[in-house]
Amino acid sequence: AVYNQTDIAELITYASDMGIRIVPEFDIPAHTASWGVGYPELTIKCPTVSGEQNSAARNFDQSMREKLIDKIALDPVKKDTFDFLLNFLSEVFALFPDEYIHLGGDEVNGPCLSTDPGLKGKQSAVLHSQFTKRILPLLELNKKIPMFWDEVVSLPDIKLPKGSLIQFWRGQNELHLPTVYRAS
C-alpha cells in the first residue's frame, strides 16, 4: 500500500483514539532494494545478488525477488545517502509524533558490501557501525529514541543512547549479554 501524508495523519489519529501507538520502522542500511529502484545512486552495487549481473538494466522484479531484498543496502559512506536520509527522516519525524522510531539495522550483508567497487577492502561491521553512528545525532536532535534489531548491539565501537530499545529476533545462541550491556 502507498500512504500519503494525509493518510498517515488520519491513521495516527485513529490509532491514538484507540489507545494504539504507531512506531514506524525503516530498516536501514539493509533491506533497501526498493529504495534503489527510485534512487539507484543511494544503494550499493551488488550485481551477483540483485540480478544486475545477468541483465543490462536494473529490473524491479529481479531486485525485489524473495531473499535478495535483504542483501541490497544503502551506501554507508556516500554523502548523498546521508543528505537523503536527513530530508527523509525529517519528514518522518514530523509525521510520526511518537518518541520512538525503529531504524532496523539488521541483516547487513557483508559479502554484498564487499562487491561494491567503492567499498572493497572495508569491513562490513565497521561500515555498519559508522553508518549507525552518523544517524544517531539526527535522532537526538529531533528528540527521538531509537529502536534497533539486535545486530546493532554487536557492532564495533557503538554506544547507543540511554533508553534505546533493542528487539531480539535471532535465536538465543546469538544473544551475547555482555555485548548488550556494553552497548547501552
Side-chain angles (χ1 to χ4, degrees):
V2 176
Y3 300 96
N4 63 36
Q5 291 186 4
T6 302
D7 295 335
I8 292 170
E10 289 173 0
L11 184 61
I12 290 170
T13 299
Y14 178 77
S16 179
D17 290 346
M18 297 292 161
I20 299 169
R21 297 166 66 173
I22 296 181
V23 177
E25 177 187 359
F26 297 97
D27 202 344
I28 55 176
H31 298 281
T32 55
S34 62
W35 297 31
V37 173
Y39 302 93
E41 70 280 5
L42 299 181
T43 55
I44 60 169
K45 306 301 177 242
C46 192
T48 57
V49 298
S50 68
E52 292 175 18
Q53 189 172 32
N54 299 322
S55 65
R58 188 170 208 167
N59 180 308
F60 180 83
D61 292 332
Q62 190 77 4
S63 66
M64 297 295 289
R65 198 174 276 171
E66 181 65 29
K67 300 292 184 199
L68 298 183
I69 190 172
D70 295 341
K71 301 192 186 311
I72 306 299
L74 293 174
D75 189 308
V77 297
K78 267 189 181 173
K79 180 184 179 311
D80 290 349
T81 300
F82 293 95
D83 290 344
F84 173 86
L85 286 173
L86 174 64
N87 291 328
F88 173 74
L89 289 173
S90 295
E91 183 175 331
V92 168
F93 297 154
L95 285 170
F96 293 90
D98 200 276
E99 63 187 323
Y100 287 95
I101 182 157
H102 202 306
L103 294 180
D106 67 326
E107 298 184 312
V108 174
N109 185 277
C112 193
L113 282 176
S114 68
T115 65
D116 185 278
L119 303 175
K120 281 189 187 276
K122 298 179 180 169
Q123 292 183 319
S124 63
V126 172
L127 291 169
H128 187 180
S129 181
Q130 290 169 345
F131 176 90
T132 303
K133 288 191 287 189
R134 283 185 73 178
I135 294 296
L136 289 174
L138 180 60
L139 301 181
E140 185 178 351
L141 180 68
N142 287 277
K143 297 179 178 37
K144 295 291 183 180
I145 302 170
M147 295 174 68
F148 290 106
W149 293 110
D150 58 286
E151 285 94 330
V152 170
V153 297
S154 62
L155 294 174
D157 193 33
I158 197 78
K159 177 88 170 124
L160 298 176
K162 188 174 180 81
S164 297
L165 294 181
I166 304 300
Q167 288 187 289
F168 289 87
W169 70 273
R170 298 180 297 169
Q172 190 171 1
N173 293 339
E174 299 290 331
L175 180 62
H176 188 255
L177 285 177
T179 304
V180 173
Y181 294 133
R182 189 172 50 252
S184 58

